Amino acid sequence: MSEEVRPVDYTPDDNLVQPFLIERTGIRGRYVRLGTVLDTILERANLPDPVASLLGELVALGSLLGSTLKYDGIFTLQVKADGALKTMVSDMTSSGSLRGYVGYDAEAVTQLRQEVGDQPEDIVEWLGDGYMAFTVDQGENSERYQGMVELQGPRLADSLRHYFRQSQQINAGILVAVRRTEEGWRGGAVLLERLPDSAKGDVTDISEEDWRRALILMSSCTEEELVDPSISAERLIFRLFHEDGVRVFESQKLDSNCRCSREKVLNVVCSLPEDQVRELSHEDGSVTMKCEFCNTDYHLTPQELDALLQSKGASET
């Protein structure tokens, strides 16, 4: 709402998705702001700054896109590439739990940092050729939805805009920023959507002038403002769009709870051939498996491993 209808909450808030509506035009939007959740995801992986920054952008973008969908399960945003960064994954559960993982060539990243610095300006330099994939998984009894788009530079957000335009016939405006601050890693992102008319198969009657105006207002937001903990989500949205009236809706809280567990690790071990499991074992016969998302180690003693493999063999006979 505009300030005349209801006072804006100026209390800073983090780790949320805040939906809103520009009332005069009907343009929908979302603002994601990440504080401790993003810092937890990036710090526990002990990543070089430019790698952490790109993964942080993917986590923020995944939160934006995942929050626009109606699903009961897991939304995954994944990048596959042939550059210094090989794989990036961000996923979000329908309850708002976020995770992130990146696989990269450490030597290639070190070389790139010497050549272009620590602030990624063009994803082509870091990712090379590749694609971005979108997956919604609602469990065994539901069909998985998947979309895919080639990477478009110079920012990850450009690939997301291209996906909206080509696959969903939606015009989208996106801003994203990730910064390491004295308090830790912070991220912010804004999404504006110009939705198609389901009856006409075309965009709504929002005029080009109104759409351009909304994009201009959004672009007036600086990257520093996007991640600033002293500005509440509602305050920032009001600051950008109050001239056209803005209504905010109930926000969704986000957290960084990983879904890994010892039970899942045991299931993975059971799914592997015994000779492959033995190849993974240490000299003392134990096995340690690490969660790629949260870096938690799961250790199986030789006795536990033998008992598990014996139980697996018995169940297969």
Side-chain angles (χ1 to χ4, degrees), residues 170-274:
I170 297 174
N171 289 342
I174 305 172
L175 284 182
V176 61
V178 171
R179 291 284 185 274
R180 183 197 282 277
T181 69
E182 293 181 358
E183 294 78 25
W185 285 99
R186 299 188 56 80
V190 178
L191 167 70
L192 295 181
E193 295 178 280
R194 188 183 183 196
L195 300 175
D197 187 308
S198 57
K200 299 178 181 179
D202 200 353
V203 295
T204 62
D205 57 1
I206 298 168
S207 69
E208 285 295 329
E209 181 180 353
D210 285 338
W211 177 243
R212 287 196 299 270
R213 172 179 168 81
L215 293 178
I216 290 171
L217 292 174
M218 181 185 72
S219 65
S220 69
C221 180
T222 66
E223 293 191 353
E224 288 73 19
E225 287 177 311
L226 274 180
V227 303
D228 190 343
S230 69
I231 308 174
S232 74
E234 290 189 6
R235 172 60 175 166
L236 181 61
I237 293 167
F238 177 79
R239 179 183 294 181
L240 294 174
F241 304 110
H242 70 277
E243 292 181 4
D244 291 336
V246 60
R247 181 189 311 168
V248 296
F249 303 97
E250 183 178 358
S251 62
Q252 179 182 10
K253 294 297 291 182
L254 303 172
D255 61 56
S256 56
N257 294 328
C258 190
R259 299 189 305 278
C260 68
S261 67
R262 187 173 182 83
E263 180 181 0
K264 290 181 179 180
V265 169
L266 295 179
N267 289 336
V268 170
V269 173
C270 283
S271 70
L272 299 175
E274 181 174 349

Side-chain angles (χ1 to χ4, degrees), residues 119-137:
Q119 188 62 41
E121 299 292 342
D122 190 336
I123 60 172
V124 173
E125 295 173 334
W126 299 85
L127 294 168
D129 294 327
Y131 64 87
M132 180 180 286
F134 316 78
T135 306
V136 177
D137 189 345

Side-chain angles (χ1 to χ4, degrees), residues 267-298:
N267 289 336
V268 170
V269 173
C270 283
S271 70
L272 299 175
E274 181 174 349
D275 58 348
Q276 187 172 342
V277 175
R278 296 299 185 186
E279 290 178 1
L280 296 173
S281 63
H282 304 300
E283 291 184 2
D284 63 357
S286 66
V287 167
T288 301
M289 300 192 73
K290 181 187 294 290
C291 174
E292 293 181 328
F293 287 93
C294 68
N295 273 345
T296 299
D297 286 330
Y298 292 92

Side-chain angles (χ1 to χ4, degrees), residues 101-121:
Y101 163 76
V102 58
Y104 62 97
D105 182 327
E107 291 186 5
V109 166
T110 298
Q111 181 65 30
L112 265 175
R113 296 178 76 179
Q114 295 172 352
E115 295 174 357
V116 302
D118 276 358
Q119 188 62 41
E121 299 292 342

